[in-house]
Amino acid sequence: MLSMIRGVGKGHHAYPRLGNKPSTHRLVRAHTNKPGATSMSWLWTFGNVPELDAAEVQKVSDQIAAMTPAQRADVKSPRIIDVRTELEYTGGHIAGAANASFLPPWSFGSRMQPLLAGLAPDTPLICICLSAHRSIGAVKWLKQQGYTNVTQLAKGMQDWRGRAPPQGK
């Protein structure tokens, strides 16, 4: 039985609950007709979003590494956004990736703002996480913000580690 709880942290956020135990890995907002309610359906971390395989992401990482600081700052230069936690990121990440944890998802936007400031809507954005679930939510959120060239690393860092060169630390 799925029920919703409210009132966690600042504001009111909904979490899925199964019986008496809250779900710790999937977040969803119930659709409601209540005035002022906001839909957070993009938080559901399942679904189909555009993907790049490890080899394609490696090419982008190499491209970023070859850029001058001025080229990297260009509003149309590609960005790799690692949406894992800071601890996961510092444990090893794709070279050239910036970190903006997807968790907790209701404050994800405030962590993304510095990375997105001034970017063109068609800037290539690649989201990555451990197993390609949090990055689905991030891709959906970015698309809702009007970004049109957004993808995720297929199968996440778990697959990357078995197929790509060593990660930066």
Side-chain angles (χ1 to χ4, degrees), residues 39-74:
S39 173
M40 293 173 59
S41 61
W42 58 267
L43 292 176
W44 193 250
T45 57
F46 287 108
N48 295 318
V49 298
E51 295 183 321
L52 297 176
D53 66 25
E56 294 168 308
V57 174
Q58 182 61 54
K59 287 178 188 175
V60 175
S61 176
D62 292 343
Q63 178 186 357
I64 292 169
M67 292 178 177
T68 65
Q71 290 171 320
R72 280 193 298 272
D74 185 272

Side-chain angles (χ1 to χ4, degrees), residues 7-162:
V8 177
K10 292 184 178 181
H12 295 286
H13 307 286
Y15 297 82
R17 273 179 85 87
L18 298 173
N20 292 328
K21 296 185 179 182
S23 170
T24 58
H25 66 288
R26 302 289 173 259
L27 300 173
V28 65
R29 168 89 162 138
H31 294 286
T32 179
N33 293 327
K34 293 180 183 176
T38 58
S39 173
M40 293 173 59
S41 61
W42 58 267
L43 292 176
W44 193 250
T45 57
F46 287 108
N48 295 318
V49 298
E51 295 183 321
L52 297 176
D53 66 25
E56 294 168 308
V57 174
Q58 182 61 54
K59 287 178 188 175
V60 175
S61 176
D62 292 343
Q63 178 186 357
I64 292 169
M67 292 178 177
T68 65
Q71 290 171 320
R72 280 193 298 272
D74 185 272
V75 298
K76 290 205 172 206
S77 291
R79 307 296 201 269
I80 299 173
I81 304 169
D82 191 323
V83 300
R84 297 176 299 152
T85 65
E86 185 177 352
L87 183 62
E88 290 174 299
Y89 177 82
T90 57
H93 58 271
I94 296 172
N99 182 233
S101 177
F102 186 70
L103 301 174
W106 54 85
S107 58
F108 178 61
S110 64
R111 287 185 296 284
M112 287 296 291
Q113 282 180 338
L115 300 178
L116 301 174
L119 292 186
D122 61 343
T123 299
L125 302 172
I126 303 167
C127 296
I128 62 168
C129 70
L130 184 62
S131 62
H133 287 290
R134 286 174 280 181
S135 55
I136 290 173
V139 167
K140 289 178 181 181
W141 183 87
L142 285 162
K143 287 185 174 276
Q144 280 188 338
Q145 304 310 303
Y147 293 94
T148 58
N149 192 0
V150 187
T151 58
Q152 75 164 350
L153 169 62
K155 302 179 186 172
M157 288 297 288
Q158 290 175 335
D159 191 58
W160 172 273
R161 289 181 179 134

